[in-house]
Amino acid sequence: MIINILLIIAFGGAFLVYLAGKISGKLRNILSIIISLVILTLIVMLQGKEIEVNYFHFFNFPLMFRINVLSWFFALLISFLTTLSLIFSLNYMKGKENLDFYYLMLLLVNASMLAIVLSGDLLSFYIFWETMSWSTFLLISYNKGKAINAALKYIIMSIAGSLAMLLAIILIYIKFQSFDILFISTHINMSSQNFAILIFLLLSIGFGVKSAIVPLHAWLPDAHAEAPSPFSAILSGILIKMGIYGFLLLFYVILGLKILLSLNIWGIKLNYIFALLGAISVLVPSMIAIFQTDAKRVLAWSSIGQIGYIAIGITIGSSIGTAGGLFHLFSHTIFKALLFFSIAAVEYRTGTRDLNKLGGLMKKMPIVFIGCLISVLGLIGIPLTNGFVSKWLIYKALFLNQNYFLLFIALISTWAAILYGFKILHHIFLGQLSQEHIKVKKAPLGMQIPIMILSFLVLLFGIFPGLALKTINKLIVNIGFKSLSVNLFGIVSETGPLNIINIFAGLMAILLLIIIVFKLGKKKTNIKQDDNYAAGSYIPIDKYHFTSNFYAPLFGIIKPLLIDHIDNFYLWVANRIRSLSDKVRKIYCGNVNVYVIYIIGFAALLIILKIGLKLW
Amino acid sequence: MNPVYLIIIPLLSAFSIPLFGLISKKLVKFIPPLAMLFNAVYAILLIPQILKKPIVVLMGGYSLPFGINLFVGPLGIIFTGVIAIIGFIVSFYAINYIKEGDKEKYHMLYLLLLTGATGAVLTGDIFNLFVFCEILCISSFALVADLGDKRSIESSVKYLIQGSVGSGFMLLGIGLLYGQFGTLNMAHLAQIITEKYGAAQSIPIDLFIPFVFVIIGFGIEGSIFPLNAWLPDAHSSAPSTISAVLSGLAIEIGLYAIIRFVFTIFGITSILPALAILGLITLVIGEITAFAQANIKRMLAYSSIGQLGLIFFAISIGTSEAITGGLFQFLTHAFSKALLFLSVGYMIYRTKSMEISSFKGIGKKMPFASLAFLIGSFSLVGLPLFMGFSSKFIIVKSAILKNSTLFNILIMVVLLCTIIEGAYFFKVIQTIYFKKSNNIEIKKAPATAVIAFFILIIIIIGLGIYPNEVFKILQCGATELLDKSQYIRSVLG
């Protein structure tokens, strides 16, 4: 019952908020926060429970909700992030038009994501999946202008993906006469290898589009960049992980570990192919991210890269790998949302997110700077941040699995992450303060709170990874893996434990060393932020940024390799259809004589086919 | 209860309109909604009785097979019900919408059109079917020209020419059948054909020629490719209320006639795969052509062609479930397309333009009409929680269940077309809601229109969530089509 109530609040609340907005804006804002908090509390209360409810019959198919560790984990992330995003929106969206619509859609996306993870059968999974797709589409379009094309690209790819999914779901139903995920998972053994491969491929298209695995990523950079920023945080933080949730469901619940590892086409293992796609998703988009000048676009490409890590983690098929993938999913949700919030706060105050126009905001917006710093550290995977733990686990798993090639690619991509992470940090907060930004104020409190909470969490789970690893451990046991021995500071294993305390000690030692070296060196002099050394030449007052053309030498070498051919291919297909459409239109030429010829001709054709070819 | 009233009441009210016009010009516009409301209620009340046993009504007291009879089975009552409900909603909408021109003629022709449609689906006699179809066609020729401008008259004449060619084919086909078998009664004809050719492996040529003629004749009305060239012009230049009825109902009558001939009268199922491919071609051509349209009504008209193709495809799969899915798709299309045309009607009326680009930012100024468009297109694209999903789901499921390579490939094409369909509908939605408006004062749609929108929206969402009851009725319709001998028995006894 509690799940039903939860979802009724989630969906009903969304519309209630919309109606409240017709009365007053304040009421709407308060109500939306209350609703999201109520949902969050209910989900926290559901911890550790396993409930199953039949809630409806669509045709004769029973639809059910089911909660277990896997869905609880995702539900918690969803509602937590939505709550923060709503708090952030209060300030960020103030004064914009159509706010009722904005809050309605935000809560609708939230509700449908919750319903997806709580779905116990594939049909309701699909139904809420589609609800999520179109409400996301409407929300991405919200910013108008460039956002319109971005949203269109999103929804077209999304429809394509979900139709593949529909096909798979119906195939499964015809095979097993049931949509119930648990029922299918217990009976999947009876199906043939080919059937499993077919299901695997079809569902992968559906989930792959949502989670933006290369080559299905083309919608993401535009959509993430153009969506309203608080929603970008949700989009990148949790919505694309719905695809990962789908993959987990497919790999470990529906197919199960044994079948997953046995699937192959002409001897090539499917899970390895998938991991390779993950690796490409890590490598190329991370490189592309370096060259972006729009801050949100950097983050968008980075999201594809990070999803790649998660994809690699969950497909290796080992306990540590899956735990790593899940932990990275969790970490990425936190630090990517934090990054989006930081950049949104900067955009809110300065009105731009063009990296080449910003700079030197460190002292103007200290909290945002610290938040951004911490999240970039998490992104890169510096010890004591949550990103370190997850990357450590993934590398470890690759190492143990002797996947040195993937390991190599993952490591290189971290290098790219350092470059773009530092680029963001530097271009926005370091360097010279632009003249027009001298009067920039601090971010409002409503924006600082989510930033502070998330920064705290990055460090908390970086220092005490055990807090999350315990749940993740339960989760991977639930989906059929061996248990890891987890303690508060990491995991214990015979092949090399993860212990944050040791790492902490090591770090402290290095830090001490650095301090000593610096103390021994020359005494530093303080220079004002706007006092720039320009080798005696005239400093233009409007903009003098050392960082334009930051990685110029690198540009020359790898940029030609990084054209997004896949995106171009999709655009080419769209153009072909358009020109085909123009050609087909000519059938209806407007001349009624020709039309009558069609009619007579068609009659003649049918009779000729009958007499000549003896058809029918 | 006598189903004859379903035809008599609208017919009489149609001809009473000029009389009422003598009393008061304002009274006229209320007659169509009343007549259709009667039909809707009466049809719904008849349903339980008909599901138990089809009603056969003898006209003029001549016994079968010599007299004309009405056969009111599940299929007939489904069509009648949909005609009446949509007819009611559209005429309710028209109370305010139809302002210019000769209102009396408009309302009279409108009712005649619906009478023709109702008669065509209820009759049990092929010549009678032809007559009712002609009533429908002739009143729609006139209604297409209702606006009286050059464009609408031109399309009306084009429609008239092609429609007349179609009638010629129909009449030839019916004549050939009558000449060979000496009867016009559907059941009797079906009986004779089964007795004579039931065991034949291939379709004999003397059956095939009338079959082709009939298919072509009704195919023009049912807008199957390549017989549908009249449709985009006619649908886009008619008043929006008429477009809604033509798209939502009239072309489906052609479809009804075809499936009645294919399944009940001729009983030739070997031709079904070919018809499925034909339906699919219609779908592909319709959707691809709609993709690049800049004129909203033309876009919707081409989309109707596509939807018709889909219905035709689904029914041609030939299993009970597939036919049910096809009938469900007919409901989806009728309601959704009516909603789309009605919502667009006031947008065009207010902006005085049919170009999609002129609807920029209209979402704020006409919230209800825009919402109606949104829901109509969601439903047609087949998103869950809306009616379109229920029907598309069944069609896809039944096509895969058919378990033949041909249909597996065909259903993939259907799904690809859905992507194209989604693309052009979502593009319009974005134009309506998310493009900067060109700051012209635009009034909202009036209350009658908004009520009409909401009735349709409730139906669309309601059947999207609770399809079960309607699905059961549709299943009976499918059984009626597939069980030819039952049909013959219930008419001839």
Side-chain angles (χ1 to χ4, degrees):
Chain A
M1 250 347 256
I2 188 160
I3 303 182
N4 290 3
I5 294 170
L6 175 77
L7 288 173
I8 288 169
I9 294 175
F11 279 102
F15 291 99
L16 207 64
V17 164
Y18 182 78
L19 293 179
K22 297 283 170 209
I23 302 167
S24 98
K26 219 164 211 159
L27 183 67
R28 174 198 62 216
N29 294 354
I30 295 169
L31 195 64
S32 65
I33 302 276
I34 290 177
I35 285 172
S36 63
L37 282 175
V38 168
I39 295 171
L40 185 60
T41 343
L42 281 175
I43 288 172
V44 171
M45 274 162 54
L46 279 170
Q47 187 191 6
K49 295 209 173 114
E50 300 225 354
I51 313 175
E52 206 180 285
V53 272
N54 278 314
Y55 67 98
F56 195 69
H57 279 262
F58 182 74
F59 291 112
N60 291 323
F61 316 121
L63 303 183
M64 63 171 79
F65 290 129
R66 181 183 287 134
I67 190 163
N68 52 27
V69 199
L70 181 64
S71 42
W72 181 80
F73 178 72
F74 276 87
L76 187 71
L77 282 183
I78 293 164
S79 55
F80 173 70
L81 192 57
T82 307
T83 312
L84 286 188
S85 174
L86 278 171
I87 295 173
F88 193 86
S89 300
L90 292 186
N91 277 308
Y92 184 84
M93 302 302 290
K94 198 182 275 173
K96 302 212 168 156
E97 54 175 1
N98 278 341
L99 278 181
D100 299 339
F101 165 82
Y102 171 81
Y103 281 99
L104 167 70
M105 285 305 156
L106 198 62
L107 285 168
L108 208 56
V109 172
N110 175 45
S112 31
M113 285 196 292
L114 284 174
I116 289 171
V117 296
L118 293 176
S119 291
D121 63 291
L122 290 173
L123 191 58
S124 32
F125 184 92
Y126 179 80
I127 290 173
F128 293 116
W129 187 270
E130 286 293 84
T131 318
M132 173 179 83
S133 296
W134 60 255
S135 42
T136 308
F137 158 74
L138 292 176
L139 202 45
I140 294 174
S141 309
Y142 174 85
N143 269 353
K144 307 189 177 172
K146 273 193 272 175
I148 289 183
N149 283 332
L152 198 61
K153 206 195 241 176
Y154 163 76
I155 194 71
I156 292 172
M157 292 189 68
S158 184
I159 292 178
S162 54
L163 289 176
M165 199 161 118
L166 181 66
L167 217 54
I169 289 175
I170 290 175
L171 281 173
I172 291 177
Y173 179 78
I174 289 173
K175 192 99 183 169
F176 301 108
Q177 295 301 313
S178 169
F179 285 114
D180 184 352
I181 294 172
L182 274 190
F183 181 87
I184 296 163
S185 69
T186 48
H187 289 73
I188 192 85
N189 297 331
M190 306 193 313
S191 65
S192 66
Q193 166 106 347
N194 285 342
F195 179 77
I197 289 178
L198 185 63
I199 296 298
F200 181 96
L201 292 179
L202 285 174
L203 284 178
S204 292
I205 294 174
F207 299 143
V209 167
K210 222 20 99 161
S211 55
I213 303 268
V214 173
L216 302 169
H217 65 281
W219 63 273
L220 188 141
D222 294 333
H224 282 211
E226 302 305 336
S229 290
F231 182 61
S232 297
I234 292 187
L235 208 53
S236 190
I238 192 72
L239 198 137
I240 54 175
K241 268 94 169 195
M242 288 296 109
I244 298 293
Y245 175 77
F247 279 123
L248 284 172
L249 215 57
L250 168 67
F251 291 167
Y252 300 117
V253 182
I254 295 180
L255 293 178
L257 185 59
K258 224 170 87 192
I259 296 181
L260 173 71
L261 293 181
S262 72
L263 289 183
N264 64 72
I265 300 179
W266 302 305
I268 309 168
K269 283 190 168 176
L270 276 184
N271 75 320
Y272 189 70
I273 295 178
F274 190 84
L276 267 185
L277 284 181
I280 298 172
S281 308
V282 180
L283 183 66
V284 182
S286 300
M287 297 287 179
I288 295 178
I290 305 175
F291 302 112
Q292 303 301 319
T293 51
D294 178 342
K296 278 174 80 176
R297 229 162 241 278
V298 178
L299 298 187
W301 282 105
S302 144
S303 290
I304 304 178
Q306 303 297 318
I307 280 285
Y309 276 114
I310 301 172
I312 294 177
I314 62 166
T315 28
I316 302 172
S318 70
S319 301
I320 289 195
T322 312
L326 282 167
F327 200 98
H328 198 62
L329 185 150
F330 174 62
S331 313
H332 180 246
T333 300
I334 295 175
F335 64 67
K336 192 48 72 62
L338 179 52
L339 266 173
F340 268 111
F341 284 157
S342 316
I343 283 170
V346 171
E347 190 193 4
Y348 179 73
R349 282 306 189 202
T350 62
T352 178
R353 49 173 207 257
D354 185 341
L355 288 175
N356 288 334
K357 289 186 182 148
L358 292 161
L361 288 170
M362 184 170 101
K363 292 209 171 141
K364 299 285 175 191
M365 308 177 91
I367 301 282
V368 178
F369 168 65
I370 291 172
C372 193
L373 175 69
I374 290 177
S375 57
V376 167
L377 294 182
L379 178 77
I380 299 168
I382 302 287
L384 303 190
T385 61
N386 56 3
F388 170 75
V389 180
S390 42
K391 282 195 181 171
W392 189 89
L393 288 170
I394 292 173
Y395 293 155
K396 183 91 194 169
L398 286 173
F399 191 74
L400 289 179
N401 238 24
Q402 299 181 327
N403 265 323
Y404 299 116
F405 176 63
L406 292 182
L407 184 63
F408 175 68
I409 287 183
L411 282 171
I412 291 200
S413 312
T414 300
W415 168 72
I418 295 172
L419 290 186
Y420 67 72
F422 181 64
K423 181 176 179 181
I424 287 181
L425 209 57
H426 180 276
H427 280 42
I428 297 179
F429 297 103
L430 309 176
Q432 184 201 5
L433 185 66
S434 157
Q435 282 296 319
E436 53 188 309
H437 296 151
I438 278 183
K439 284 184 185 150
V440 165
K441 283 183 282 185
K442 274 188 202 167
L445 189 66
M447 295 189 181
Q448 287 184 2
I449 290 173
I451 290 179
M452 285 193 282
I453 295 177
L454 286 172
S455 311
F456 171 70
L457 289 180
V458 171
L459 296 176
L460 179 72
F461 290 105
I463 298 170
F464 304 109
L467 293 176
L469 272 175
K470 267 182 200 150
T471 308
I472 289 173
N473 190 33
K474 261 188 227 154
L475 206 166
I476 60 171
V477 172
N478 187 291
I479 56 179
F481 284 102
K482 273 187 301 194
S483 172
L484 299 166
S485 45
V486 177
N487 63 25
L488 187 59
F489 294 103
I491 58 172
V492 187
S493 81
E494 56 278 15
T495 51
L498 167 67
N499 192 333
I500 296 292
I501 293 189
N502 296 347
I503 292 164
F504 186 68
L507 266 185
M508 279 301 135
I510 294 171
L511 200 63
L512 206 66
L513 200 69
I514 292 172
I515 291 173
I516 291 168
V517 168
F518 268 84
K519 283 286 171 198
L520 293 176
K522 230 162 79 187
K523 196 162 171 24
K524 69 166 181 179
T525 50
N526 281 322
I527 297 172
K528 279 184 75 180
Q529 196 183 16
D530 48 0
D531 179 9
N532 281 290
Y533 174 69
S537 64
Y538 170 71
I539 299 174
I541 197 143
D542 50 334
K543 189 66 195 171
Y544 184 72
H545 213 309
F546 292 110
T547 56
S548 338
N549 261 345
F550 209 34
Y551 299 121
L554 202 63
F555 252 79
I557 302 168
I558 58 174
K559 196 161 191 195
L561 303 174
L562 295 179
I563 303 163
D564 194 350
H565 291 291
I566 296 163
D567 191 24
N568 291 343
F569 171 72
Y570 290 141
L571 293 176
W572 179 80
V573 170
N575 281 330
R576 296 310 305 168
I577 292 179
R578 176 167 293 277
S579 60
L580 180 68
S581 170
D582 280 331
K583 278 181 199 138
V584 173
R585 265 166 78 177
K586 302 222 168 77
I587 295 174
Y588 303 104
C589 55
N591 185 343
V592 74
N593 304 355
V594 179
Y595 293 168
V596 174
I597 291 174
Y598 288 164
I599 298 172
I600 311 283
F602 185 60
L605 178 77
L606 285 180
I607 293 171
I608 287 169
L609 281 179
K610 168 71 184 162
I611 296 174
L613 295 178
K614 302 259 182 282
L615 284 176
W616 310 300
Chain B
M1 291 171 96
N2 194 337
V4 171
Y5 292 119
L6 291 171
I7 300 171
I8 290 178
I9 296 284
L11 192 65
L12 283 183
S13 357
F15 290 120
S16 73
I17 282 177
L19 295 179
F20 280 107
L22 294 177
I23 306 167
S24 156
K25 295 279 177 201
K26 279 184 185 163
L27 207 61
V28 170
K29 58 188 176 189
F30 296 106
I31 294 171
L34 284 177
M36 280 299 121
L37 186 63
F38 166 80
N39 256 22
V41 173
Y42 202 76
I44 289 170
L45 290 178
L46 272 174
I47 288 176
Q49 195 184 339
I50 284 166
L51 290 190
K52 271 182 230 144
K53 193 173 175 293
I55 303 175
V56 179
V57 186
L58 299 182
M59 309 291 281
Y62 296 97
S63 68
L64 289 172
F66 304 106
I68 292 174
N69 73 313
L70 295 187
F71 179 83
V72 192
L75 197 62
I77 206 72
I78 292 163
F79 275 83
T80 315
V82 175
I83 291 165
I85 292 171
I86 289 184
F88 167 69
I89 295 168
V90 171
S91 55
F92 188 76
Y93 174 97
I95 291 176
N96 265 329
Y97 183 76
I98 298 298
K99 292 214 173 81
E100 289 133 31
D102 195 335
K103 288 189 219 166
E104 278 175 37
K105 277 183 196 153
Y106 168 87
H107 289 296
M108 192 172 103
L109 286 168
Y110 176 80
L111 268 182
L112 274 179
L113 191 158
L114 294 178
T115 312
T118 314
V121 296
L122 289 183
T123 184
D125 180 284
I126 47 172
F127 190 74
N128 209 356
L129 175 67
F130 169 75
V131 171
F132 278 121
C133 269
E134 283 304 285
I135 295 179
L136 186 155
C137 286
I138 291 167
S139 39
S140 55
F141 299 150
L143 281 169
V144 167
D146 184 69
L147 292 177
D149 54 349
K150 186 168 168 282
R151 223 172 79 96
S152 57
I153 289 176
E154 187 195 329
S155 358
S156 169
V157 170
K158 281 184 188 171
Y159 183 17
L160 174 68
I161 293 171
Q162 293 173 62
S164 313
V165 175
S167 315
F169 270 109
M170 276 184 223
L171 206 54
L172 274 177
I174 290 169
L176 284 175
L177 284 176
Y178 186 58
Q180 283 189 62
F181 304 110
T183 180
L184 289 169
N185 186 286
M186 287 183 187
H188 197 209
L189 206 53
Q191 195 181 27
I192 296 173
I193 289 175
T194 330
E195 278 167 14
K196 206 167 168 191
Y197 300 110
Q201 282 297 318
S202 65
I203 310 166
I205 192 75
D206 40 0
L207 205 57
F208 188 75
I209 301 289
F211 174 72
V212 166
F213 283 7
V214 165
I215 291 282
I216 301 265
F218 289 104
I220 290 174
E221 190 54 33
S223 81
I224 293 167
F225 181 81
L227 314 171
N228 50 17
W230 58 273
L231 188 143
D233 293 329
H235 285 204
S236 60
S237 41
S240 288
T241 44
I242 296 308
S243 314
V245 173
L246 285 184
S247 248
L249 301 175
I251 51 180
E252 274 88 348
I253 302 307
L255 183 93
Y256 164 84
I258 291 176
I259 57 178
R260 187 55 102 193
F261 270 99
V262 170
F263 285 99
T264 308
I265 299 175
F266 290 105
I268 37 181
T269 43
S270 58
I271 205 162
L272 284 180
L275 290 182
I277 292 173
L278 199 60
L280 195 75
I281 294 174
T282 312
L283 169 67
V284 172
I285 301 259
E287 300 296 8
I288 286 187
T289 323
F291 184 70
Q293 291 298 326
N295 176 321
I296 185 90
K297 280 181 87 172
R298 284 187 89 84
M299 187 194 99
L300 291 180
Y302 282 116
S303 144
S304 294
I305 294 180
Q307 290 291 322
L308 237 290
L310 179 60
I311 301 172
F312 203 67
F313 165 77
I315 291 179
S316 306
I317 295 173
T319 58
S320 160
E321 191 181 22
I323 295 175
T324 318
L327 292 176
F328 211 137
Q329 185 66 29
F330 153 62
L331 293 192
T332 302
H333 177 241
F335 288 118
S336 314
K337 199 43 81 58
L339 182 59
L340 285 171
F341 268 119
L342 294 188
S343 65
V344 161
Y346 266 102
M347 292 185 195
I348 293 171
Y349 188 75
R350 297 283 195 238
T351 57
K352 308 212 165 28
S353 159
M354 286 195 211
E355 297 301 306
I356 295 174
S357 54
S358 64
F359 297 156
K360 280 178 189 164
I362 210 168
K364 264 216 132 150
K365 294 161 187 163
M366 304 182 74
F368 295 116
S370 310
L371 180 71
F373 189 90
L374 181 89
I375 289 182
S377 38
F378 275 10
S379 169
L380 272 193
V381 177
L383 296 181
L385 304 181
F386 304 99
M387 208 170 158
F389 175 65
S390 314
S391 49
K392 213 161 251 180
F393 180 79
I394 303 221
I395 292 175
V396 175
K397 182 160 162 262
S398 56
I400 297 177
L401 258 180
K402 179 91 178 173
N403 205 8
S404 80
T405 325
L406 174 70
F407 280 100
N408 283 349
I409 296 169
L410 295 186
I411 198 67
M412 297 287 266
V413 181
V414 170
L415 292 179
L416 287 180
C417 286
T418 306
I419 301 176
I420 298 178
E421 194 176 29
Y424 63 76
F425 270 120
F426 282 115
K427 220 156 69 184
V428 180
I429 290 174
Q430 285 185 322
T431 311
I432 288 178
Y433 278 105
F434 301 110
K435 289 232 168 118
K436 291 233 167 60
S437 61
N438 20 7
N439 289 326
I440 311 165
E441 274 298 306
I442 293 175
K443 278 191 291 179
K444 286 183 187 171
T448 44
V450 173
I451 293 171
F453 296 154
F454 272 94
I455 300 174
L456 282 169
I457 288 175
I458 288 168
I459 293 176
I460 287 173
I461 294 182
L463 290 187
I465 298 176
Y466 297 100
N468 294 18
E469 297 306 315
V470 172
F471 184 72
K472 276 178 203 147
I473 302 173
L474 295 179
Q475 262 174 334
C476 298
T479 323
E480 182 196 325
L481 270 185
L482 285 173
D483 197 350
K484 183 177 163 181
S485 52
Q486 177 67 36
Y487 181 89
I488 298 172
R489 253 200 317 272
S490 52
V491 177
L492 298 176

